[in-house]
Amino acid sequence: MQLLETTFWSAGGSRHRMAEQLGFSKSKANAIIAGLVDQGLLAEAGLQRSSGGRRAENLQISGALGVLVGIDIGATSLDIAVLGPDLLPLAQHSEAADVRQGPGIVLARVRVLMRELLARAGADAKRVMGIGIGVPGPVNFESGQLVNPPLMPAWDGFSIRDALREDYAAPVFVDNDVNLMALGELWRLKRTLSNFLVIKVGTGIGCGIVCHGEVYRGAAGSAGDVGHICVDQEGPRCHCGNLGCVEVMAAGPAITRMAVEAAEFGQSDLLAECLRTKGRLDALDVGHAGRAGDAAANGIIQRAGSLLGQMLASVVNFFNPSHVFIGGGITHIGPLFLAAVRQSVYQRSLALSTRHLEIQYTPLGTQAGLVGAGVLAMQETLKVRGVAP
Amino acid sequence: MQLLETTFWSAGGSRHRMAEQLGFSKSKANAIIAGLVDQGLLAEAGLQRSSGGRRAENLQISGALGVLVGIDIGATSLDIAVLGPDLLPLAQHSEAADVRQGPGIVLARVRVLMRELLARAGADAKRVMGIGIGVPGPVNFESGQLVNPPLMPAWDGFSIRDALREDYAAPVFVDNDVNLMALGELWRLKRTLSNFLVIKVGTGIGCGIVCHGEVYRGAAGSAGDVGHICVDQEGPRCHCGNLGCVEVMAAGPAITRMAVEAAEFGQSDLLAECLRTKGRLDALDVGHAGRAGDAAANGIIQRAGSLLGQMLASVVNFFNPSHVFIGGGITHIGPLFLAAVRQSVYQRSLALSTRHLEIQYTPLGTQAGLVGAGVLAMQETLKVRGVAP
């Protein structure tokens, strides 16, 4: 069991390294591995480059074990993938969606897509080992229920886990979307970083926390709720009731609002033109205008980045992470946003906390949430099944 | 080894619970315990109340193991204790001090006091097992060196560990003072809480973080540096260079400054009288005046508490701790301060994060740092010595 988990996290490591990590002797590790290969749970995956002595065989979780389903429900998007145990997608689909339509409509669509994708991947429903789902709101991880989700009020108290249990025998695990992005990056990094943050900037702003090498969810599962940190005591009122939350001033809708204003008040010909043609504006349009040299667009990007950086400065002083990865829709806006965030953090945080701090866009990009959903499904399924040894 | 550590953390648990916690069988645990008792490392400590069957024997770390020295160097105080392995003080001393005098003067005094206290405790220098030291600044935990400590610039890069090694054979461990307060509370709680914060408000403001049941120090050891989180972008300039840091607006010196102003501008007869008699004012005086009904004093307490709460609200949104313990000199100011902090946090943090949040003064009070220094000494010494099993 432990060996399967280690193999999964090291994504194709050698026998030797595996035994080392688990503190097993070489002979004990070999015996256990032989057993797992016989059971069809582990597969030998080609040979690693020689390092002088004889060649060590790489191990990976066997594809025969089954498939995983990763589902990333965003505020305005739906991403689903059928993944192998190595997390490579066997079939994948993305579409626009509106989470506010409630669980009935959204999950009916999820069910249809799951059937289609499993068919495309050539996998029977019985081969599904585990299902991992990310949602844009606070989740009680134990019960799988949503708790007062501000962006999806119709889902309050709803258990996605119970709803999907009817169709599949496989266990279902639900978590906050940005926790899953953090889990995805942790897997990509093969746990080489222990303390980092993933910030998602989309319709809202959230934060996934990795602490001591594990995703940290807090005492009540609401850790990382950074969208309502105040950045301007005289700022606009947020839907949470307070003034000047970073979410109401720097997330997607705020950027759109600033862009529409710039278009309507004649501050930007490019944005006005774009608004006329498309009927609406988003972060991508602002990014395009900015790269074309539009001063108003660049001002908006600067302002949003600077406000996000101001919030991040507090968080960096408190948490002293080694890396901050920024993901979500905002990444389409381009590099100027990142530069503004960095400038603001480096100015406001203490030298000791920023000396080695890296701030960058999520390396997994838009796949981070799906990969994380797959990692959740695999990791928790291995725990639940408790396959020997 | 593991059993000694478990015994230390459970502070007098039964054999049965010990075996359970370590996942040992009863017979294996009994054999190991017998060995440790024979070696004089564990002692049987009376009998626990019967729970129906035969009575289980409690275990504790044997006093024969030696003594620990805990040292809490504050910005303006010095506390030293010689402690038994159960962390009960055998001899203790506190005095005013000025850390800015630098390591030469302060550590010379530490050496004298250690000799005196060991003599009072009837313990030979050779019986010292480990020395734990807390300092009011950022520490590189691995090297034991201070890194750019703003309150103690003369100590930058100084290794306290190396300085004390000359006198004692025992290992010396150095950490930030508020990390040690967190470690002390973690030990008092026997690790029953996994995610909580300790905020120290004295000359500066710092935060100790317990995450997943362990003290969290961050990627560069500067986690918890919350004193420089901004609470007013147009506030006064802090020694760090930024405007409106919570430390420059709500810590001890800010409270004193507000109190002196109230006294000098005729806003408070009580504070003016106190300033005339003593020649200076501190948090204790402001607390006294407040409890006597002085409106200006209560206004100062409210303001400082509210600003601290504003910073804490950000931190609570991010970290979602179960408890926040507030310690340091500020605790002398009385309950109104705590009420103002609570009000401010509950107003600005999200409902999910505060529903079960407890905010209170540190249960260990002024002893938290010393107890934590003792825990550090014991825990790290057990790790370094690696006594069997």
Side-chain angles (χ1 to χ4, degrees):
Chain A
M1 197 61 233
Q2 221 184 338
L3 201 138
L4 278 183
E5 210 181 319
T6 306
T7 307
F8 170 66
W9 276 94
S10 65
S14 70
R15 281 165 188 263
H16 180 67
R17 248 192 68 214
M18 225 62 83
E20 238 179 41
Q21 280 184 20
L22 289 166
F24 289 170
S25 70
K26 245 179 168 171
S27 58
K28 182 175 175 191
N30 278 332
I32 295 174
I33 288 165
L36 290 170
V37 171
D38 280 353
Q39 288 175 61
L41 302 175
L42 270 189
E44 280 160 300
L47 296 172
Q48 223 174 26
R49 203 163 297 160
S50 168
S51 59
R54 68 195 176 87
R55 297 195 283 180
E57 282 153 30
N58 279 5
L59 294 169
Q60 63 184 33
I61 303 261
S62 166
L65 208 59
V67 296
L68 304 162
V69 179
I71 306 173
D72 186 4
I73 303 179
T76 60
S77 61
L78 180 57
D79 294 272
I80 306 194
V82 174
L83 308 153
D86 52 4
L87 296 194
L88 291 181
L90 304 172
Q92 182 169 345
H93 176 84
S94 301
E95 66 183 33
D98 184 355
V99 77
R100 287 169 305 179
Q101 292 181 307
I105 294 177
V106 174
L107 291 184
R109 184 66 188 144
V110 165
R111 279 199 185 89
V112 170
L113 288 171
M114 273 176 77
R115 268 198 301 276
E116 284 180 21
L117 289 170
L118 284 167
R120 257 170 56 198
D124 201 78
K126 274 180 254 152
R127 292 204 59 227
V128 178
M129 298 163 64
I131 302 171
I133 307 181
V135 291
V139 174
N140 179 323
F141 189 69
E142 300 307 321
S143 74
Q145 284 177 306
L146 282 115
V147 189
N148 289 333
L151 295 176
M152 46 198 301
W155 298 66
D156 188 23
F158 186 84
S159 171
I160 302 177
R161 186 154 74 185
D162 293 346
L164 288 183
R165 248 189 205 147
E166 295 164 22
D167 300 2
Y168 296 90
V172 181
F173 306 96
V174 186
D175 203 349
N176 178 263
D177 56 353
V178 66
N179 285 348
L180 291 189
M181 290 169 72
L183 192 60
E185 295 294 345
L186 188 63
W187 180 81
R188 180 190 65 84
L189 289 158
K190 301 185 181 183
R191 283 206 168 115
T192 49
L193 299 181
S194 303
N195 307 303
F196 66 86
L197 304 178
V198 175
I199 305 280
K200 182 181 184 181
V201 184
T203 308
I205 295 179
C207 176
I209 305 169
V210 171
C211 178
H212 293 142
E214 303 280 342
V215 173
Y216 171 77
R217 297 185 174 87
S222 71
D225 219 332
V226 298
H228 302 282
I229 288 180
C230 177
V231 287
D232 183 354
Q233 283 157 303
E234 280 143 33
R237 190 167 297 277
C238 180
H239 60 81
C240 79
N242 282 313
L243 298 179
C245 297
V246 67
E247 182 164 304
V248 77
M249 296 186 72
I255 291 172
T256 298
R257 199 182 55 238
M258 290 188 277
V260 170
E261 279 172 16
E264 290 176 345
F265 294 140
Q267 289 155 9
S268 162
D269 293 343
L270 263 178
L271 290 174
E273 172 63 28
C274 186
L275 180 60
R276 249 192 317 277
T277 334
K278 287 180 51 180
R280 56 177 198 82
L281 287 172
D282 60 23
L284 193 58
D285 304 318
V286 180
H288 277 313
R291 275 192 293 271
D294 186 274
N298 282 330
I300 292 168
I301 297 171
Q302 283 269 10
R303 178 167 162 73
S306 171
L307 287 165
L308 187 76
Q310 203 178 306
M311 176 279 281
L312 261 179
S314 301
V315 163
V316 164
N317 274 344
F318 172 78
F319 192 69
N320 180 210
S322 67
H323 291 67
V324 175
F325 300 112
I326 298 177
I330 197 71
T331 54
H332 301 305
I333 211 166
L336 181 63
F337 180 80
L338 208 52
V341 172
R342 286 193 184 119
Q343 193 187 10
S344 181
V345 172
Y346 292 145
Q347 190 187 321
R348 281 252 37 142
S349 289
L350 293 181
L352 188 60
S353 298
T354 56
R355 199 177 295 163
H356 302 290
L357 175 67
E358 299 269 352
I359 302 177
Q360 55 190 75
Y361 285 138
T362 41
L364 283 172
T366 53
Q367 291 292 93
L370 269 186
V371 171
V375 177
L376 179 75
M378 186 68 176
Q379 176 178 271
E380 299 301 318
T381 299
L382 287 178
K383 272 188 206 157
V384 170
R385 299 210 335 196
V387 193
Chain B
M1 198 58 236
Q2 222 184 338
L3 202 139
L4 278 184
E5 211 180 318
T6 306
T7 308
F8 170 65
W9 276 94
S10 63
S14 72
R15 280 168 189 263
H16 180 67
R17 249 193 68 214
M18 224 62 81
E20 239 177 41
Q21 281 184 20
L22 289 167
F24 288 172
S25 69
K26 245 179 165 169
S27 59
K28 182 175 174 191
N30 277 331
I32 295 174
I33 288 164
L36 289 170
V37 171
D38 281 354
Q39 288 175 60
L41 301 176
L42 270 190
E44 282 162 299
L47 297 173
Q48 222 175 24
R49 204 162 297 159
S50 169
S51 59
R54 68 194 177 85
R55 297 195 283 181
E57 280 156 30
N58 280 5
L59 294 169
Q60 62 182 33
I61 304 260
S62 165
L65 209 58
V67 297
L68 304 163
V69 179
I71 306 174
D72 186 3
I73 302 180
T76 59
S77 61
L78 181 57
D79 294 272
I80 306 192
V82 174
L83 309 153
D86 52 5
L87 296 193
L88 290 180
L90 305 170
Q92 183 170 344
H93 175 85
S94 302
E95 64 183 35
D98 184 354
V99 77
R100 288 170 304 180
Q101 290 182 310
I105 294 177
V106 174
L107 291 184
R109 184 67 188 144
V110 164
R111 280 201 184 87
V112 169
L113 288 172
M114 273 176 76
R115 267 199 302 275
E116 282 180 22
L117 289 170
L118 283 168
R120 255 169 58 198
D124 203 77
K126 274 179 260 156
R127 292 206 55 229
V128 177
M129 298 163 62
I131 302 171
I133 308 181
V135 291
V139 174
N140 180 324
F141 189 69
E142 302 308 320
S143 74
Q145 281 177 309
L146 283 116
V147 189
N148 288 334
L151 296 176
M152 47 200 299
W155 298 65
D156 188 22
F158 186 84
S159 171
I160 301 178
R161 188 155 72 185
D162 293 348
L164 287 183
R165 247 186 206 149
E166 295 164 22
D167 300 4
Y168 296 91
V172 180
F173 306 96
V174 186
D175 202 348
N176 176 265
D177 55 353
V178 67
N179 286 347
L180 291 188
M181 290 169 70
L183 193 60
E185 295 293 345
L186 188 63
W187 180 81
R188 178 190 66 83
L189 290 158
K190 300 184 180 183
R191 283 206 168 113
T192 49
L193 299 181
S194 301
N195 308 301
F196 66 86
L197 305 178
V198 175
I199 305 280
K200 182 179 184 181
V201 184
T203 308
I205 295 180
C207 176
I209 304 170
V210 172
C211 179
H212 293 143
E214 301 280 344
V215 172
Y216 172 75
R217 297 186 173 88
S222 71
D225 219 330
V226 298
H228 303 282
I229 288 181
C230 177
V231 288
D232 183 353
Q233 284 158 301
E234 281 143 34
R237 189 166 297 278
C238 179
H239 58 82
C240 78
N242 282 311
L243 298 179
C245 296
V246 66
E247 182 165 304
V248 76
M249 296 186 72
I255 291 172
T256 298
R257 197 182 56 238
M258 290 188 275
V260 169
E261 278 171 19
E264 288 176 347
F265 294 140
Q267 289 153 9
S268 164
D269 292 346
L270 264 177
L271 290 174
E273 172 63 29
C274 185
L275 180 59
R276 248 192 318 276
T277 336
K278 286 178 55 181
R280 58 177 196 84
L281 287 172
D282 59 23
L284 193 60
D285 303 317
V286 180
H288 278 313
R291 276 191 293 273
D294 186 273
N298 282 329
I300 293 167
I301 297 171
Q302 283 268 11
R303 179 167 163 73
S306 171
L307 288 164
L308 186 76
Q310 202 177 310
M311 176 279 282
L312 260 180
S314 300
V315 163
V316 163
N317 274 345
F318 173 79
F319 192 69
N320 180 210
S322 66
H323 291 68
V324 175
F325 300 111
I326 298 176
I330 197 72
T331 55
H332 301 306
I333 211 167
L336 180 63
F337 180 80
L338 207 52
V341 172
R342 287 192 183 120
Q343 193 187 11
S344 180
V345 172
Y346 292 144
Q347 190 187 320
R348 280 251 39 141
S349 289
L350 293 180
L352 189 61
S353 298
T354 55
R355 199 178 294 163
H356 302 291
L357 175 67
E358 299 268 354
I359 303 177
Q360 55 192 75
Y361 284 138
T362 40
L364 282 171
T366 51
Q367 291 293 93
L370 269 186
V371 170
V375 177
L376 179 75
M378 186 67 175
Q379 176 178 269
E380 300 300 318
T381 299
L382 288 177
K383 274 188 205 155
V384 170
R385 300 214 328 200
V387 192

